[in-house]
Amino acid sequence: MSLKNIECLEDRKWLRLLVDFAGSSINHRRPFDPTTTLVAEGSWDARNNQLHVVACQFLNARNSLSPSHVGDCSTKLTLRFPAIWTIGNTSCIVGEIWSNKPTTESGYFENITFDRGDSATYVFPGQRYEYTKRAKATKLYPRMKSDVDDKKDLFPNPFSYEMRLDISANSSTGEAGWASFVPVSVDNRFVQPYWYLTEDGTEEYLGAHPVGASVGDRYNNNRYNISYRINIRPVDEIRLPSEVYQLNLYYHFYEMGIVAEGIYDDKDGSLCVVGCRYLSSNSHQQPTYDSVDCEIVVNVQLPPTNPKSNYSSSIKGSIKST
């Protein structure tokens, strides 16, 4: 589903828009199709970051608007933009759509909830990440030897692109795959390569630069609160049980999705995070959000950035269930 703004009355916070259900968001320049599009009016609730919409169908629509007219305005839509992200909720947009018709009337459909929580997402002014697993990660944090100061090694800055990791993964039983670690936040700043919506409504691409307020929530010197999205995908010939991997409906491959948070120390390059993943009993269904496993621990040793180091130049680590 995509929303296309037609008109906005800023003083009243009203807008007109198109709600497009063409089935794919990859081709943003596809031609207008009235058979898969609703025309809608909405109001913006700035206090609660919510958009309330009433949508109407184009009746008698085929491939153009010439024989059609607007009617059947029984579809309701609500979008919310959570101000606080947590390990259990990293969706930048959540909402629901439903029919206002009686259940026995033609065209009625049940309430449908949806969210957007992938890595290509938006950050809005005032949003922040709240750490809830920091104490647990701190207990599991692997202490380094006291002579680390003498090595003069330099490790990646927590706000740098080097904190985004793409690594090979091998299980204890020999299955192989790939894992990607994409940072969501460091301390109280978002650091993903987000599109950022500025206050005047324009878009600004920030790459890996931080977004948000100045750093003020650090655990202590050199140790940063950090959160990640971790995706583990087996190689093509590997098929693991459906309760382990879910089907990514957007890219059509199987993966295990983990949201994690914990501690990164740029003094010794060690990363320790606690992760959560949603479970599914059917690989062709989306994960069920009432079934979650938060007993996952991830330890990573990052290599130093200076070439004269005695450390290994490769990334070492483990992901395990406790």
Side-chain angles (χ1 to χ4, degrees):
M1 181 183 72
S2 61
L3 305 182
K4 299 179 180 179
N5 188 31
I6 300 174
E7 181 183 14
C8 181
L9 301 179
E10 292 190 30
D11 55 340
R12 298 185 178 184
K13 294 182 170 54
W14 293 350
L15 69 158
R16 292 193 297 139
L17 64 156
L18 297 177
V19 184
D20 189 356
F21 294 93
S24 174
S25 60
I26 297 177
N27 182 9
H28 295 284
R29 298 187 177 183
R30 58 179 177 265
F32 172 76
D33 184 355
T35 64
T36 60
T37 305
L38 304 177
V39 61
E41 293 181 355
S43 63
W44 174 249
D45 181 353
R47 181 176 181 180
N48 297 307
N49 283 348
Q50 294 185 1
L51 178 66
H52 304 282
V53 174
V54 175
C56 309
Q57 296 182 25
F58 291 99
L59 302 182
N60 299 323
R62 295 180 177 87
N63 295 323
S64 69
L65 287 175
S66 55
S68 68
H69 62 276
V70 171
D72 189 3
C73 299
S74 60
T75 301
K76 313 295 183 183
L77 172 69
T78 298
L79 287 175
R80 299 183 299 278
F81 303 84
I84 298 176
W85 295 12
T86 66
I87 194 171
N89 182 17
T90 57
S91 297
C92 63
I93 303 174
V94 296
E96 55 187 337
I97 186 171
W98 69 96
S99 172
N100 203 33
K101 292 182 175 182
T103 57
T104 57
E105 189 172 332
S106 175
Y108 166 82
F109 60 92
E110 294 183 354
N111 181 69
I112 300 171
T113 60
F114 52 85
D115 70 271
R116 178 168 182 171
D118 58 11
S119 58
T121 188
Y122 289 97
V123 171
F124 293 85
Q127 288 181 315
R128 63 184 178 88
Y129 188 96
E130 185 175 280
Y131 300 87
T132 59
K133 302 289 184 181
R134 180 173 61 182
K136 184 175 182 179
T138 302
K139 291 180 180 179
L140 297 169
Y141 180 81
R143 297 284 181 177
M144 302 300 291
K145 294 182 180 180
S146 59
D147 62 348
V148 68
D149 288 338
D150 299 329
K151 295 183 179 297
K152 305 300 182 183
D153 289 298
L154 300 177
F155 293 92
N157 183 296
F159 294 103
S160 70
Y161 193 80
E162 293 168 306
M163 298 301 295
R164 181 165 183 161
L165 313 176
D166 292 294
I167 56 179
S168 61
N170 297 279
S171 73
S172 58
T173 55
E175 290 88 356
W178 295 96
S180 64
F181 288 60
V182 180
V184 175
S185 64
V186 175
D187 286 342
N188 60 354
R189 306 176 78 176
F190 291 99
V191 295
Q192 270 222 49
Y194 288 123
W195 284 95
Y196 177 61
L197 295 187
T198 60
E199 301 217 356
D200 62 0
T202 59
E203 296 180 351
E204 179 182 357
Y205 185 67
L206 295 179
H209 298 290
V211 177
S214 59
V215 175
D217 191 32
R218 189 177 306 170
Y219 178 67
N220 58 28
N221 290 336
N222 299 108
R223 301 179 72 182
Y224 295 80
N225 301 316
I226 193 167
S227 63
Y228 272 94
R229 283 195 181 98
I230 302 172
N231 291 313
I232 305 173
R233 179 162 57 100
V235 294
D236 293 339
E237 64 269 19
I238 299 294
R239 287 293 179 266
L240 296 178
S242 61
E243 66 270 15
V244 178
Y245 285 79
Q246 290 88 38
L247 178 64
N248 184 312
L249 299 179
Y250 191 86
Y251 294 106
H252 299 287
F253 55 68
Y254 288 88
E255 66 179 3
M256 183 201 302
I258 298 173
V259 180
E261 65 179 48
I263 303 296
Y264 170 66
D265 194 327
D266 66 352
K267 190 176 183 179
D268 55 35
S270 57
L271 172 69
C272 179
V273 293
V274 174
C276 297
R277 67 185 179 104
Y278 294 109
L279 306 178
S280 175
S281 59
N282 188 324
S283 61
H284 297 288
Q285 295 179 354
Q286 289 288 66
T288 54
Y289 287 87
D290 57 349
S291 181
V292 62
D293 170 19
C294 288
E295 300 299 324
I296 300 172
V297 176
V298 183
N299 286 306
V300 177
Q301 176 61 58
L302 275 66
T305 56
N306 50 324
K308 297 182 179 180
S309 170
N310 294 324
Y311 276 82
S312 170
S313 60
S314 60
I315 299 170
K316 301 291 184 181
S318 65
I319 301 176
K320 65 179 181 180
S321 172
T322 61

